[in-house]
Amino acid sequence: MQFVKKIGEEAKKVSDKVEAKMEKIVHKGRPKGLSVGEPAADGERTYLIGGNWKCNGTMASVAELVKTFNDAGPIPANVDVAICAPYIHLGVVLSTLRADIAIGAQNSGLSEKMGAYTGEICASQLVDAGVEWVIIGHSERREGFGMAGEDEELCAKKLKVALDAGLKVMFAIGEKKEERESGVTMDVCAKQLEPAAELLSEEDWANVAIAYEPVWAIGTGLTATPEMAQETHKSIRDWVAENVSAEVAKAVRIQYGGSMKGANAKELLAQPDIDGGLIGGASLKADFFNVINGVL
């Protein structure tokens, strides 16, 4: 319990740091939002629902979606919510999206400092802008899209750089369809986690959520059954217990990222080792709040 308390203290330090930055730049008119219910009890994990907008959205469509979310009613007090927007839309959401939804980016660079890295975004720049979260290791970036993908070691190094800069990280892992069918799901997940476990201190894990994304279920409409997802989440938590520590395993949040939407969120979120979701398509619609309310 002492370690879990320390985890909470470390997370609060980062949150306070980002909040101080945000106060300087966020428009005064940003709605505060509403909360309902009770926070997670001591020793329980707070859910984390992240929205990944990927490479989507125009200025007009983002403004409309922000209005939809701002008018969507209260967020349960035992849920943290974050929207990871494309870089070009970060300024808009930082100044207009309700303040009880944290703002995240979808990637950050390997460089620890700003410099001659054309086209790159440094983690410290994101913190300076008021961004709180970042996604590292998403399968689309690991695989690559018309370019070389990011391997396990690179993802782990970027994770560490982002944490050291003061960001919280949704660290994505997961297997392809043929790997699932071959029975090597946990081997794949372990291979993706191992470099991170070597680089991170126990304190670092206070600001990491593991996003388990079965690649075969991303954007396909296919979804693991709640029982399948729970089995893998439990295996991931067991791996963390064995390779990091039991305390970190108990505290770390593991999100499910395989086509979660309002229609299936409640069953998935009811599983004991599923602590939230990393939501793609549904985060671009009003249905995102059905996912959030799936914890009720």
Side-chain angles (χ1 to χ4, degrees), residues 253-275:
R253 293 182 285 189
I254 306 176
Q255 302 162 277
Y256 176 74
S259 295
M260 185 185 286
K261 49 189 176 289
N264 60 22
K266 196 172 188 68
E267 283 187 293
L268 287 163
L269 293 170
Q271 302 302 311
D273 289 293
I274 297 181
D275 306 312

Side-chain angles (χ1 to χ4, degrees), residues 190-260:
K191 185 180 178 183
Q192 294 168 345
L193 285 168
E194 282 166 0
E198 291 174 3
L199 284 179
L200 269 56
S201 68
E202 287 201 17
E203 288 73 20
D204 284 333
W205 286 96
N207 295 303
V208 177
I210 298 172
Y212 166 62
E213 299 187 301
V215 179
W216 49 271
I218 298 174
T220 65
L222 300 173
T223 308
T225 66
E227 294 76 20
M228 287 169 61
Q230 164 59 23
E231 181 182 17
T232 306
H233 278 235
K234 177 66 165 56
S235 296
I236 292 169
R237 197 175 304 283
D238 289 344
W239 187 95
V240 174
E242 293 172 8
N243 293 273
V244 182
S245 77
E247 291 85 359
V248 169
K250 182 179 180 180
V252 71
R253 293 182 285 189
I254 306 176
Q255 302 162 277
Y256 176 74
S259 295
M260 185 185 286

Side-chain angles (χ1 to χ4, degrees), residues 102-118:
I103 307 304
Q106 298 170 17
N107 182 44
S108 61
L110 179 62
S111 56
E112 296 179 4
K113 298 180 181 179
M114 295 178 283
Y117 310 108
T118 301

Side-chain angles (χ1 to χ4, degrees), residues 137-157:
H138 193 281
S139 64
E140 290 158 3
R141 297 199 63 85
R142 289 182 186 266
E143 185 68 16
F145 24 81
M147 60 184 185
E150 300 178 354
D151 62 25
E152 291 84 5
E153 287 73 21
L154 177 56
C155 290
K157 290 175 182 176

Side-chain angles (χ1 to χ4, degrees), residues 16 27 42 65 73 87 89 93 108 135 139 166-167 169 176 226 235 276:
D16 290 345
H27 193 277
D42 288 345
L65 189 56
Y87 292 133
H89 296 311
V93 292
S108 61
I135 301 169
S139 64
L167 289 168
V169 180
K176 299 176 184 177
S235 296

Side-chain angles (χ1 to χ4, degrees), residues 18 22 26 30 51 53 66 81-86 89-106 126 129-134 167-168 170:
V18 173
M22 290 175 68
V26 174
R30 186 177 179 188
W53 287 356
V66 166
V81 181
I83 285 292
C84 297
H89 296 311
L90 287 175
V92 173
V93 292
L94 280 164
S95 60
T96 61
L97 184 62
R98 54 193 291 170
D100 54 353
I101 297 180
I103 307 304
Q106 298 170 17
L126 293 174
V131 172
E132 185 173 351
W133 284 92
V134 67
L167 289 168
K168 300 175 186 176
M170 300 180 213

Side-chain angles (χ1 to χ4, degrees), residues 7-8 13 32 36 43 63 74 88-89 96 102 125 145 158 160 166 196 208 217 226 236 245 255 265 275 283 287 296:
I7 287 270
K13 286 179 184 177
K32 290 184 178 180
V36 65
I88 60 169
H89 296 311
T96 61
Q125 289 177 300
F145 24 81
K158 290 171 62 174
K160 178 61 174 170
V208 177
I236 292 169
S245 77
Q255 302 162 277
D275 306 312
S283 71
D287 191 45
L296 297 174

